[in-house]
Amino acid sequence: MEKIILKDIPDLDKIDVYISNGGYSALKKVLTGMKPDEVIAEVKNSGLRGRGGACFSTGMKWSFMPKGNEKPKFLCCNGDESEPGSFKDREIFEKNPHQFIEGSLIAAYAMGIQAVYVYIRGEYWKWINIMEECVADAYKKGLIGKNILGSDFSVEMYVHKGAGAYICGEESSLMNSLEGKRGYPRVKPPFPAAVGVWGNPTTINNIETLANVPEIINKGSEWFSKIGDPKHPGTLLYGVSGHVNKPGVYELPTGTPLMTIINDYCGGIKDGKDFKMIIPGGSSMPPLTKEESLTMKMDAESLKAVGSAIGTAGIMVMDEDTDIVHVLQRITKFYYHESCGQCTPCREGCGWMLKVLDRIMDGTGRHSDLDLLISVAENIEGNTICALGDAAAWPVKWTVRKFRKEFESKIKNENIELPVLNKVHGLRKSDEYVTIDTDENTLVESLIGKVQEITVDENLKRYSS
Amino acid sequence: MKTQEYTPLFDESEMQTVKMHISKYPKPMAAVMPLLWMIQEKYGWISIDAMRYVGDLLSIPHDHVLGVATFYSMYFKKPVGKFHLQICTNVSCMLCDGYKIFNHISDKLGVKNKGITPDGLFSIEEVECLGSCATAPMLQINNKEFHENLTIEKTDELLAKLRNSN
Ligand SMILES: Cc1cc2nc3c(=O)[nH]c(=O)nc-3n(C[C@H](O)[C@H](O)[C@H](O)COP(=O)(O)O)c2cc1C
Ligand code: SF4
């Protein structure tokens, strides 16, 4: 299969090698022969969807930018890449940085952008240095700056170094960070295309998204739209980690079966074991069970159909001996650490979920904890300013649902107090205790039955006295 | 409010870099992150006085700089060891024994998370995913080099090498 981004050409990261392999010809093509609207239409027709996680149509996003130049416009390239399990943009910085730069210049031309900011996470020290060098090289060749390639199009490009905050990958947080503020996400609307960085129209795109653009311009939208899954065309940089023999980044068409990636490309599961759980798109995405994984195709629509999502295509594989509760505890600890603290459900909820998971891990969990986890998760979901709240809630909700047995096996038999529904006081304690046996699978049903029984009794007592 | 009690923290040539950073953005406030990075590169960490200095350079409130510095985890608000070891324990590393590496280093140096050895040579920190999942487990030193595919032996070698280089 032909690769679009991670091509097998040695030293492609050097600008001369890139140019001698046809690099920057797409930029030349748009500057000399295409109107900005034509570029946007071409990208829209290609069906390219954002690779940053939300899978939004890139051409559509570009078309939201206002025409005309009353206000300066900005493009932010999102290289924050902090989602656990994602390490693909780093591969682009290292192997084919100029294709990304060319893509962002084409985007800048299409939208009439004045300045492009490449926001890279601070931990990527090595790759920030690479990108600064590449941008400087492109300036020297007259590919960035004033009157690019003799046209009347001018644009500046700057690399901005983050400083360790996952939340700054969220687009509105990224803009605040770029402005020199704490990285708090903003309430939307207004959307960035209307009021973005420094109050000006702004588009935010992922690095991989932009790196696809030059090939779409060169080879045409039709060519691109025929690769992979028709509803989510192109290739993806699948980053596979965890218990596989050959972890790494593999560029393959969308819709590639998950098992093909794991068995044919990654050499199967380590030590010849079986696997138990796979997270398909970075740690925020709901996990897949073994049964789901066996037939899963890796594209936006197929994963959506089972309630998960492609996210960043960061695939994390867990073998049969993995402690799923420990994995979820670690994931939740991450979101607890990274929550910016603006919204109560996210700030407090992440802490609550972590506390509950901590106690399940140390053996003092209660049976009611599992439903409590789901309830807290559902109260975070959809009730926050940005999607980090959802990102924290989804893994909890779905891991507990799909792997409930794993959690139950960590909870000891216990005496629990049953609350009684009281018409006057709402919930209050009864004097009844029930012993829950871990071996019983009918827990919830029997509990609800028991609660109803006592409630009726209590009510009878109340009203007959 | 200008405060002039402290000596400048940047020299002439560094002030040129400061100007270059300010020129990259439409508003001077945006240069606060690059300037804090410059301070940390030069002095190893960012003191309250340094934050005030950055605030004065950009004519923005000191408290704003404090707010920014405390939001981002890579800015050190107190001194760290000469070699600050940032060990990832997030899921992909955890699956590949990241905690084993963390605990080994912690035991060997006798310091806990965010602790520093009495000689000031090493400090350790448990960090979140650094985007090195295919080469797990890994650690980063002083916000810079990645050391990937670690084993206990490789970790020991690394610690010995760092100690000797001192
Ligand atoms: C908590 C959070 C973290 C995010 N982190 C990243 C990131 O590291 N890189 C990225 O490209 N997008 C990230 N996103 C998605 C961005 O908000 C945005 O949708 C994306 O950069 C748009 O680019 P695209 O349309 O090209 O995908 C994140 C979103 C959320 C809610
Ligand atoms: S959801 Fe969480 S991270 Fe997002 S704005 Fe609210 S508190 Fe901050």
Side-chain angles (χ1 to χ4, degrees):
Chain A
M1 151 72 211
E2 193 188 348
K3 290 177 181 162
I4 299 178
I5 298 173
L6 302 180
K7 297 172 186 155
D8 302 307
I9 300 171
D11 294 327
L12 194 56
D13 57 321
K14 308 277 180 299
I15 192 162
D16 292 325
V17 178
Y18 182 68
I19 290 176
S20 64
N21 280 284
Y24 289 105
S25 58
L27 179 65
K28 206 171 284 172
K29 183 172 170 186
V30 299
L31 290 182
T32 51
M34 287 174 86
K35 291 201 185 71
D37 278 345
E38 289 169 358
V39 179
I40 295 182
E42 191 73 4
V43 173
K44 208 190 247 173
N45 292 340
S46 75
L48 175 65
R49 291 166 73 173
R51 306 295 198 234
C55 279
F56 192 78
S57 158
T58 305
M60 190 91 87
K61 194 187 248 185
W62 292 5
S63 71
F64 294 155
M65 287 290 272
K67 312 276 176 256
N69 287 324
E70 295 88 58
K71 276 179 158 188
K73 291 181 267 187
F74 296 99
L75 172 65
C76 301
C77 308
N78 193 342
D80 193 57
E81 187 153 77
S82 308
E83 170 94 355
S86 314
F87 45 101
K88 64 185 178 70
D89 296 339
R90 161 185 160 176
E91 205 75 5
I92 301 176
F93 294 142
E94 190 163 331
K95 303 250 168 78
N96 201 354
H98 285 288
Q99 190 166 320
F100 151 66
I101 294 179
E102 185 179 4
S104 52
L105 292 171
I106 295 170
Y109 172 74
M111 291 180 277
I113 301 289
Q114 280 195 349
V116 178
Y117 290 94
V118 186
Y119 190 107
I120 308 181
R121 66 180 300 187
E123 291 88 342
Y124 278 6
W125 169 77
K126 178 176 159 193
W127 297 274
I128 292 170
N129 291 346
I130 293 179
M131 284 315 293
E132 278 178 340
E133 239 169 71
C134 291
V135 170
D137 288 346
Y139 262 107
K140 274 186 222 135
K141 297 245 184 234
L143 296 162
I144 315 177
K146 295 251 159 346
N147 300 104
I148 297 173
L149 297 170
S151 70
D152 51 12
F153 172 62
S154 306
V155 67
E156 303 294 330
M157 188 182 279
Y158 308 102
V159 176
H160 184 92
K161 180 178 184 181
Y166 165 64
I167 190 58
C168 289
E170 198 279 334
E171 53 186 21
S172 59
S173 164
L174 185 149
M175 296 192 293
N176 273 342
S177 180
L178 197 57
E179 289 181 15
K181 299 175 181 159
R182 288 167 78 88
Y184 287 137
R186 300 175 183 173
V187 178
K188 287 180 258 186
F191 290 97
V195 184
V197 70
W198 295 291
N200 299 312
T202 305
T203 291
I204 299 100
N205 273 131
N206 174 258
I207 304 296
E208 185 186 344
T209 312
L210 292 165
N212 274 299
V213 171
E215 291 282 81
I216 293 175
I217 297 298
N218 274 334
K219 299 189 178 160
S221 53
E222 198 177 321
W223 163 82
F224 187 85
S225 66
K226 292 210 171 106
I227 302 170
D229 183 75
K231 288 204 175 120
H232 183 206
T235 59
L236 287 175
L237 307 191
Y238 298 98
V240 191
S241 63
H243 295 142
V244 289
N245 283 318
K246 286 190 284 175
V249 176
Y250 298 91
E251 181 175 1
L252 296 165
T254 54
T256 305
L258 181 52
M259 284 303 115
T260 308
I261 300 175
I262 288 175
N263 293 327
D264 300 357
Y265 290 88
C266 300
I269 311 291
K270 256 190 209 162
D271 305 325
K273 286 190 192 166
D274 202 353
F275 69 96
K276 181 154 45 174
M277 174 165 119
I278 295 181
I279 299 177
S283 68
S284 335
M285 298 306 149
L288 303 175
T289 60
K290 186 181 165 195
E291 288 66 39
E292 286 167 332
S293 308
L294 289 175
T295 53
M296 185 51 57
K297 283 202 196 146
M298 292 298 286
D299 60 78
E301 302 301 323
S302 309
L303 278 157
K304 208 163 126 193
V306 298
S308 190
I310 189 78
T312 56
I315 302 171
M316 296 195 262
V317 183
M318 281 146 248
D319 73 20
E320 54 189 326
D321 297 328
T322 310
D323 183 345
I324 301 294
V325 184
H326 194 193
V327 170
L328 185 64
Q329 181 200 29
R330 188 64 189 83
I331 291 179
T332 306
K333 188 173 161 199
F334 170 76
Y335 292 105
Y336 172 62
H337 182 250
E338 300 296 337
S339 167
C340 82
Q342 281 191 109
C343 328
T344 315
C346 171
R347 181 187 65 235
E348 303 300 323
C350 289
W352 291 350
M353 294 192 299
L354 181 60
K355 266 192 207 157
V356 173
L357 285 162
D358 282 349
R359 71 176 177 234
I360 297 179
M361 270 308 282
D362 71 20
T364 54
R366 307 166 197 155
H367 275 281
S368 54
D369 281 349
L370 303 188
D371 290 336
L372 180 62
L373 281 173
I374 293 179
S375 151
V376 175
E378 285 185 336
N379 279 299
I380 300 175
E381 206 181 329
N383 293 327
T384 55
I385 295 177
C386 88
L388 188 139
D390 304 329
W394 289 335
V396 171
K397 178 170 146 186
W398 290 104
T399 312
V400 174
R401 282 209 178 139
K402 291 185 177 177
F403 296 87
R404 202 176 172 106
K405 284 235 163 57
E406 301 260 340
F407 290 82
E408 282 173 348
S409 72
K410 282 205 189 302
I411 294 171
K412 297 197 190 78
N413 290 355
E414 59 176 339
N415 260 340
I416 64 163
E417 247 173 281
L418 285 185
V420 174
L421 290 174
N422 177 302
K423 286 213 174 89
V424 183
H425 300 110
L427 278 179
R428 71 181 180 83
K429 285 181 176 170
S430 72
D431 304 328
E432 307 245 353
Y433 293 86
V434 187
T435 301
I436 307 289
D437 192 345
T438 323
D439 301 331
E440 275 178 32
N441 293 325
T442 48
L443 278 176
V444 182
E445 288 79 8
S446 63
L447 269 181
I448 292 172
K450 191 74 190 164
V451 169
Q452 278 167 347
E453 209 176 287
I454 305 172
T455 306
V456 172
D457 281 359
E458 287 271 316
N459 280 343
L460 276 180
K461 263 188 251 162
R462 273 179 56 79
Y463 292 113
S464 56
S465 62
Chain B
M1 196 181 31
K2 271 261 193 267
T3 347
Q4 265 123 10
E5 301 129 39
Y6 32 78
T7 42
L9 298 175
F10 291 142
D11 61 23
E12 277 300 308
S13 83
E14 284 157 347
M15 283 310 288
Q16 292 306 314
T17 316
V18 169
K19 287 211 185 86
M20 183 274 289
H21 282 307
I22 296 176
S23 74
K24 294 196 307 197
Y25 309 96
K27 299 230 170 95
M29 182 191 275
V32 63
M33 288 183 70
L35 262 50
L36 287 174
W37 272 120
M38 284 177 68
I39 294 274
Q40 183 157 305
E41 286 289 302
K42 186 165 176 189
Y43 297 96
W45 65 292
I46 304 169
S47 65
I48 296 280
D49 275 349
M51 294 176 203
R52 293 201 183 109
Y53 177 71
V54 168
D56 289 347
L57 282 181
L58 299 173
S59 309
I60 56 175
H62 297 162
D63 287 353
H64 181 87
V65 185
L66 178 74
V68 172
T70 49
F71 187 84
Y72 299 94
S73 64
M74 290 179 80
Y75 293 135
F76 303 138
K77 275 74 68 178
K78 56 180 192 188
V80 293
K82 182 169 180 213
F83 303 111
H84 185 58
L85 310 177
Q86 298 150 306
I87 306 134
C88 175
T89 58
N90 206 301
V91 179
S92 298
C93 276
M94 177 181 128
L95 294 173
C96 300
D97 287 337
Y99 272 107
K100 209 158 107 189
I101 302 290
F102 180 85
N103 292 334
H104 178 74
I105 297 178
S106 168
D107 291 346
K108 192 153 177 173
L109 298 176
V111 287
K112 292 216 161 63
N113 187 20
K114 302 213 170 139
I116 175 166
T117 53
D119 58 4
L121 200 54
F122 291 105
S123 50
I124 65 169
E125 187 182 355
E126 179 182 353
V127 296
E128 299 297 352
C129 183
L130 296 180
S132 202
C133 315
T135 39
M138 62 84 66
L139 63 77
Q140 182 173 29
I141 302 181
N142 295 343
N143 289 336
K144 293 205 167 103
E145 297 94 20
F146 279 17
H147 294 265
E148 305 176 301
N149 288 318
L150 291 175
T151 56
I152 298 286
E153 295 73 42
K154 271 170 105 173
T155 310
D156 285 342
E157 272 167 36
L158 178 66
L159 291 180
K161 205 177 94 199
L162 292 174
R163 206 181 279 282
N164 291 336
S165 74
N166 186 43

